[in-house]
Amino acid sequence: MAAVLFDFSGTLFRVESTESWLRAVLDDSGILLSEPELERAAQALEAAGALPGGAEPRQLPGELAGAWAVRDKSARLHRAAYTGLSRRVPLPDPALHDALYERHMTPAAWSPYPDAVEVLRALRERGVAVGVVSNIGWDLRPVFRAHGLDPFVDAYVLSYEHGVQKPDPRLFSVACEALGVDPARTLMVGDNRAADGGATALGCRVHFVDHLPAHLRPDALLPVLDLVG
């Protein structure tokens, strides 16, 4: 393999829990809720699917179905879809919904999986090109920089910057072109079989990992090194 493409959320990084997400925003806003109130609100936000990178909606409202289907094609659609879901949950201040969306874009909201740095460093040492291909509505580069992973990434291909989202093979094609590699010599690593599996249409090999909390998935990326050879 000449290159490895990685998904972002659920593959290299994991977003914080819904409770941690809400608690951080409430703390920043100076709004106090009792623990039972906070827990109930967090559970409702999780059921709504309001945290990008977290659980998907248990029930998608019909009025948001259109935006949800194409949410990763633009920053506007991404924000509209997720804040629309968040607003289905009553919170003490309506401004909290936008604050929650802003919070999830900060490096503090994300943690790299335990083996991410080790795998990326090993790929760099072997001369294997690395790209990040993500369905997303915002610039994740600051997250990589803040956690020290940016030096190991040669190209970022983000859906909202191209108006194309996985599984459309065009997004993977952009990544291969940016790295100057043949798709047949490229491995795509992701957690979503439908979205990341789209790379096979281009001729890439695909390897899947489970989207689990970081502490429950300490070494799932290590097999990538064997697959690259």
Side-chain angles (χ1 to χ4, degrees):
M1 293 289 159
V4 180
L5 307 178
F6 289 95
D7 174 53
F8 167 56
S9 174
T11 301
L12 288 176
F13 281 83
R14 172 77 181 198
V15 74
E16 65 187 331
S17 70
T18 308
E19 184 175 321
S20 170
W21 178 54
L22 176 58
R23 190 181 298 276
V25 170
L26 290 172
D27 287 347
D28 287 345
S29 304
I31 295 174
L32 297 177
L33 289 180
S34 68
E35 282 300 308
E37 288 174 324
L38 189 150
E39 290 172 7
R40 283 195 296 271
Q43 290 168 3
L45 288 166
E46 178 137 354
L51 172 59
E56 294 205 349
R58 293 181 190 170
Q59 185 174 2
L60 184 63
E63 67 271 18
L64 292 176
W68 179 261
V70 293
R71 65 192 181 279
D72 296 312
K73 287 189 175 183
S74 76
R76 178 185 62 81
L77 288 167
H78 194 270
R79 179 182 285 270
Y82 282 103
T83 57
L85 292 171
S86 174
R87 288 189 174 96
R88 295 180 63 82
V89 178
L91 294 176
D93 183 343
L96 289 172
H97 298 289
D98 283 316
L100 284 168
Y101 187 83
E102 295 296 328
R103 163 72 185 184
H104 103 274
M105 295 188 289
T106 65
W110 297 88
S111 297
Y113 279 94
D115 53 349
V117 172
E118 177 184 353
V119 169
L120 292 176
R121 180 182 290 114
L123 291 173
R124 175 52 54 90
E125 291 171 351
R126 296 183 188 186
V128 177
V130 169
V132 172
V133 183
S134 177
N135 278 354
I136 200 165
W138 50 276
D139 186 5
L140 52 71
R141 295 172 182 87
V143 175
F144 278 75
R145 288 196 290 269
H147 289 281
L149 273 66
D150 181 65
F152 307 115
V153 179
D154 300 294
Y156 295 92
V157 178
L158 312 181
S159 60
Y160 85 103
E161 293 182 337
H162 299 276
V164 176
Q165 63 186 36
K166 298 180 291 187
D168 193 318
R170 289 179 292 172
L171 203 64
F172 304 105
S173 180
V174 169
C176 290
E177 290 173 6
L179 296 175
V181 296
D182 183 345
R185 299 186 61 212
T186 300
L187 175 68
M188 174 67 206
V189 181
D191 67 294
N192 188 307
R193 281 163 172 73
D196 300 311
T200 59
L202 198 64
C204 299
R205 186 175 179 182
V206 180
H207 175 69
F208 296 109
V209 294
D210 293 324
H211 189 150
L212 295 171
H215 70 281
L216 296 178
R217 214 197 73 188
D219 54 8
L221 293 171
L222 292 179
V224 170
L225 300 178
D226 293 328
L227 293 170
V228 168

